[in-house]
Amino acid sequence: MSGVSAGANLAHHVVVQVASGQLMLGPVRIAGYILLSAFFGSVERVASEATPPPGVSLPVERTDKFWRLALPVGASRDHPLANPFGPDSPSVEPLPLPPALVVAPGRNVLCGHMLCYAAKLKEMGKTIELAEFPTEQHGFSRGQWSEATEELTEKKNAKGYLV
């Protein structure tokens, strides 16, 4: 299972629902998941939001607007749909999550959230690989073919993920 940006956020939530038994897939199982430029948030600003890297294609003001449009009226960026580790989010620690590949482009105001996501899962003992692309922007994996997308494809193939 994989997703880019908001799709990566959705992929996380589907994986959690399957792992917790809330969603049954029948004979299909999720062997792993890939989060590409995951669109996560929190009330607390991460460093990449507080001091955005140069040349970002998705500024903080736009991510805030997207959260206002997507979350229930009155909800903050700590809502479980935005922040998988927020105060009201269900704990994923006891869940048998499949292996994950988190792809974090460095020229992205949301990069800090992706790094936190990977670090927290690793702290919980989950199988996680973090692939950082310091010079890439949000959503680079679905753009024009480049050295970075080539490297990402090789990384996914080496891990046995379908490309």
Side-chain angles (χ1 to χ4, degrees), residues 113-126:
H113 291 292
M114 293 171 242
L115 299 177
C116 287
Y117 180 88
K120 287 183 182 187
L121 288 182
K122 190 172 193 119
E123 286 172 13
M124 292 177 194
K126 307 299 181 193

Side-chain angles (χ1 to χ4, degrees), residues 10 12 46 54 63 91 105 119:
L10 292 171
H12 159 80
V46 292
T63 63
S91 175

Side-chain angles (χ1 to χ4, degrees), residues 1 31-34 98-102 127 129 153 155-163:
M1 163 156 290
Y33 65 113
I34 304 170
L101 171 61
V102 175
T127 303
E129 180 177 351
T153 301
K155 186 173 291 291
K156 288 193 287 188
N157 283 336
K159 288 294 181 185
Y161 294 110
L162 294 176
V163 179

Side-chain angles (χ1 to χ4, degrees), residues 21-129:
Q22 295 174 7
L23 179 63
M24 305 305 267
L25 296 179
V28 176
R29 71 179 185 85
I30 298 174
Y33 65 113
I34 304 170
L35 304 182
L36 303 137
S37 300
F39 204 103
F40 293 134
S42 67
V43 168
E44 184 178 335
R45 295 287 190 196
V46 292
S48 58
E49 289 174 308
T51 309
V56 297
S57 60
L58 182 66
V60 172
E61 298 77 26
R62 195 170 316 149
T63 63
D64 287 349
K65 181 179 182 177
F66 290 157
W67 284 126
R68 285 191 303 276
L69 291 169
L71 295 173
V73 174
S76 75
R77 290 184 312 274
D78 272 340
H79 187 280
L81 292 176
N83 184 354
F85 302 110
D88 297 323
S89 298
S91 175
V92 299
E93 190 162 13
L95 300 180
L97 297 179
L101 171 61
V102 175
V103 178
R107 289 177 50 207
N108 184 340
V109 296
L110 301 175
C111 183
H113 291 292
M114 293 171 242
L115 299 177
C116 287
Y117 180 88
K120 287 183 182 187
L121 288 182
K122 190 172 193 119
E123 286 172 13
M124 292 177 194
K126 307 299 181 193
T127 303
I128 180 94
E129 180 177 351

Side-chain angles (χ1 to χ4, degrees), residues 133-145:
F133 290 85
T135 62
E136 297 302 320
Q137 293 188 6
H138 185 81
F140 80 94
S141 61
R142 61 168 199 227
Q144 190 170 2
W145 197 257

